Amino acid sequence: MSRAVCPGSFDPVTHGHLDIVRRASRLFDEVVVAIGVNKSKSRLFDPDERIAMLERACAPFDNVRVDGFTGLLTTYCAEHDVQAIVKGLRAVSDFDYELQMAQMNDSLTGVDTVFLPTSPEFSFVSSSLVKEVATFGGDVSAFVPDFVHTALLERLAARREAGEA
Ligand code: PNS
């Protein structure tokens, strides 16, 4: 059985992520959306919230499940019999860093990385930009699932009320 991971921070999940997950689910028998929960960046949503969002967003895909991981992605792949890492490439600007990570991951455990070109309608969409635009009142409803949009607006409002944003 072929098994791949779609790794990411997913803070929050966007339609761009889900496009890659959907397409990976057609290429592999099983896809694990692996949510990195290392404490390296400040996140808007905590690990449990991100896992719950991904579980809801991926419910339509029969062969996709969601998991969180800490530590190295290659360790997760080795421990869970994962043969491939699937990454979306939005633009040339993504390529340098993604290539570097793919080569590092290969050198660590021999796990391969498969790059999928992002669908053009999502080529400018990222979680970071979605958060930034939403923080300043821009309409990001086209870029995330409706329930994520609601959660995003609620979280930003709560942060503003708490004087954190
Ligand atoms: O959505 P992101 O933030 O681009 O996801 C990055 C992620 C989580 C896929 C990447 O940071 C990662 O693989 N982190 C786990 C730690 C690790 O394995 N680091 C070495 C990468 S070569």
Side-chain angles (χ1 to χ4, degrees):
M1 188 180 82
S2 61
R3 181 178 292 128
V5 288
C6 288
S9 306
F10 304 103
D11 187 43
V13 60
T14 69
H15 286 314
H17 293 130
L18 294 172
D19 174 57
I20 296 297
V21 171
R22 178 184 59 79
R23 288 159 59 203
S25 75
R26 297 195 305 226
L27 297 173
F28 295 91
D29 296 324
E30 185 178 87
V31 170
V32 182
V33 176
I35 305 176
V37 296
N38 288 339
K39 286 182 185 149
S40 58
K41 296 187 207 166
S42 65
R43 305 289 183 201
L44 191 56
F45 294 100
D46 69 30
D48 288 344
E49 289 172 323
R50 283 181 277 143
I51 289 171
M53 281 182 191
L54 263 299
E55 282 175 343
R56 184 164 169 188
C58 294
F61 311 128
D62 287 343
N63 61 338
V64 175
R65 62 187 175 82
V66 178
D67 202 2
F69 76 99
T70 54
L72 288 176
L73 179 59
T74 49
T75 304
Y76 181 89
C77 292
E79 288 175 351
H80 294 82
D81 195 22
V82 170
Q83 294 93 43
I85 297 167
V86 177
K87 289 287 195 84
L89 282 185
R90 285 170 297 208
V92 175
S93 51
D94 280 345
F95 185 73
D96 279 350
Y97 186 49
E98 290 296 344
L99 179 67
Q100 197 181 2
M101 283 201 287
Q103 290 171 332
M104 176 59 83
N105 286 331
D106 175 48
S107 81
L108 291 173
T109 60
V111 66
D112 247 318
T113 297
V114 174
F115 291 125
L116 294 180
T118 300
S119 297
E121 63 267 40
F122 304 124
S123 63
F124 57 92
V125 177
S126 70
S127 298
S128 312
L129 268 187
V130 161
K131 285 184 286 192
E132 182 175 330
V133 171
T135 297
F136 295 109
D139 180 5
V140 294
S141 57
F143 310 130
V144 294
D146 287 346
F147 74 91
V148 172
H149 187 233
T150 303
L152 179 60
L153 296 187
E154 285 174 0
R155 180 57 46 89
L156 291 173
R159 289 236 166 152
R160 266 196 305 275
E161 261 177 46
E164 293 169 15

